[in-house]
Amino acid sequence: MTSDVAAPRTPAPFPDREVVVGLVVNPVAGLGGAAGLKGSDGAQVQREALARGATPRAGERAARAVRALLARRPGTRVVTVPGSMGEHSALDAGAPCALVRPSPPPAADPGSAGATTARDTRLAVLALADVDLLLFAGGDGTARDVLDAVRALGDQAPPVLGIPAGVKVYSGCFAVSPAAAGFLAAGYASGLRNGSGTAGAGTVEAEVVDLDEERYRQGLVSPRLYGSLRVPAARAALSGRKAGSSTVAPATVEGIAREIVARMRPGVRYVLGPGATTQAVGRALGLTTTLLGVDVVEAGDRGVLVAGDVSEAELFSLVAEREAVVVLSVIGGQGFVLGRGNQQVSPRVLDAVIGYGGATGRPLLVLATAQKLAALRGRPLLADSGDEDLDRKLGGHVQVITGYRESTIYQICTASEEFHG
């Protein structure tokens, strides 16, 4: 496996002019997450997500990044493209922005979410080739589109940085959160401006990986490396590439599952998030649950599958006004517990679980092998639910189940707080 980072590369400073930050938003990124569709690629999937009540969030997350950028570096010049592909987010963030119109123009009106395509993303990146740093909001599919445009630009391409907004965010070119993207962009811009040679002015190569969404929906996880993008150098603020767990002994996962089942109480609903470890919990109950979806189960004399592969709306209706516990696994290499591939477990779902379960202790059961925790090298587990106040409420220390009758106490914090700039 190739490394996420290479030796930092420090560009020449620009002391005689203001640093310009570009912004491109994929307005449909992440749309399929809360809908339980395991991705957002394709017009049909996007229509189905909207029909299931999904709400576009990419523009909101982009605005959060721009607000963080302006908080650290007021007056930064932002250049973007019209409509929901950037303009709306910049205006929501209070950023004075200049508009550049891609040529040829988008095939459909970019003012409405759902009307844009991968081609529109590539054209927007090409139109913003002259910026000093390009922020893009989306997921791994968007990163691939940005990579295609960067390759077309060659040596003229600016460094880029991803604002995490997709269902899948496995690539290493994303910041750990929207706020971290803004803070990192501000540091990079300051480094260019003053030519001080600080870490903010360097760049590294970060990998772009993606999954085949059709195979992913069938439970087949086959990530593919597509290339790398030049991003600002700040190891703590970059999410890093997702690491697999193929070397973990099956007995370890089964031991974790047995421990979870031993802790289950009759009458309580347990929300099993995506992952092989949580799927093993279903098997230990004698149930067939999904690998990449969210399932709701109960335990008693034998396991009961209350509902399988649920959407956010379905999940909320199943846990509202009753005792429930959310069971989530850790993404290897990145440390995310919330906000990556499990958007069905939304802030309102967690609020419902917390609000009802005040007497039952913490609403989360976190699962991870000892090897997965060791690979984090002391970095905390991360929550990026989309509600920073809720993420802070969940922060502190959490018990992580690592095997049968085995657990450890580990720090969990908001993804925004993990990087302080």
Side-chain angles (χ1 to χ4, degrees):
M1 182 177 70
T2 58
S3 171
D4 279 26
V5 295
R9 169 179 162 189
T10 305
F14 295 91
D16 297 325
R17 65 173 174 81
E18 182 55 90
V19 176
V20 179
V21 174
L23 176 67
V24 173
V25 178
N26 175 1
V28 297
L31 194 63
L37 296 174
K38 307 170 188 66
S40 306
D41 292 351
Q44 182 176 347
V45 171
Q46 293 156 19
R47 286 193 295 269
E48 176 65 20
L50 292 170
R52 294 187 184 188
T55 303
R57 299 293 186 195
E60 173 187 316
R61 291 176 72 83
R64 198 175 306 159
V66 175
R67 278 193 291 270
L69 166 62
L70 295 177
R72 288 289 176 91
R73 204 166 186 278
T76 297
R77 186 180 173 211
V78 176
V79 179
T80 187
V81 293
S84 60
M85 292 193 68
E87 179 187 13
H88 295 168
S89 296
L91 293 176
D92 287 348
C97 64
L99 295 182
V100 175
R101 299 187 181 276
S103 179
D109 177 12
S112 72
T116 61
T117 65
R119 174 177 176 271
D120 296 327
T121 298
R122 292 191 290 267
L123 290 174
V125 174
L126 294 174
L128 296 170
D130 293 333
V131 301
D132 299 307
L133 173 67
L134 177 67
L135 294 175
F136 70 91
D140 291 325
T142 309
R144 283 178 58 188
D145 298 331
V146 171
L147 176 62
D148 288 342
V150 163
R151 283 172 169 164
L153 289 170
D155 292 341
Q156 303 305 311
V160 305
L161 177 62
I163 302 166
V167 178
K168 313 179 304 299
V169 187
Y170 290 168
S171 300
C173 56
F174 290 92
V176 295
S177 71
F183 296 152
L184 181 49
Y188 180 81
S190 295
L192 285 180
R193 179 64 174 165
N194 60 34
S196 63
T198 62
T203 61
V204 295
E205 296 292 323
E207 293 176 336
V208 175
V209 299
D210 198 10
L211 303 175
D212 182 318
E213 284 197 2
E214 286 303 319
R215 290 173 59 83
Y216 188 64
R217 292 185 182 101
Q218 297 167 18
L220 302 172
V221 182
S222 51
R224 175 183 168 189
L225 174 64
Y226 285 88
S228 64
L229 288 166
R230 189 161 54 97
V231 302
R235 194 179 290 261
L238 296 172
S239 65
R241 178 180 171 181
K242 178 187 182 295
S245 53
S246 58
T247 60
V248 176
T252 302
V253 173
E254 298 304 326
I256 293 174
R258 287 172 56 211
E259 177 62 19
I260 293 298
V261 171
R263 294 176 179 228
M264 287 181 167
R265 293 174 289 118
V268 178
R269 285 188 170 169
Y270 291 84
V271 178
L272 303 183
T277 309
T278 46
Q279 188 180 39
V281 175
R283 283 198 303 273
L285 289 168
L287 304 173
T288 300
T289 55
T290 56
L291 174 64
L292 301 171
V294 172
D295 306 284
V296 181
V297 302
E298 290 184 5
D301 294 334
R302 63 185 204 177
V304 175
L305 179 62
V306 178
D309 203 5
V310 296
S311 67
E312 187 274 344
E314 292 168 333
L315 180 57
F316 179 72
S317 69
L318 290 168
V319 301
E321 302 300 325
R322 63 180 303 141
E323 191 174 355
V325 175
V326 178
V327 184
L328 300 174
S329 60
V330 175
I331 293 184
Q334 295 183 340
F336 279 97
V337 175
L338 274 170
R340 299 294 184 272
N342 55 18
Q343 287 90 346
Q344 300 95 316
V345 186
S346 67
R348 71 167 181 163
V349 166
L350 288 165
D351 274 333
V353 172
I354 294 169
Y356 190 91
T360 67
R362 295 183 67 90
L364 290 182
L365 278 177
V366 179
L367 320 180
T369 63
Q371 298 98 309
K372 191 175 283 189
L373 292 181
L376 293 176
R377 299 181 181 179
R379 288 182 288 120
L381 302 178
L382 301 175
D384 184 20
S385 70
D387 183 331
E388 291 185 9
D389 290 338
L390 173 64
D391 293 342
R392 291 189 188 97
K393 189 184 300 184
L394 297 171
H397 287 80
V398 64
Q399 185 180 37
V400 181
I401 310 302
T402 57
Y404 184 64
R405 297 292 187 257
E406 295 178 0
S407 66
T408 189
I409 302 299
Y410 205 94
Q411 183 185 8
I412 183 171
C413 69
T414 74
S416 295
E417 289 179 348
E418 202 273 341
F419 173 66
H420 299 283

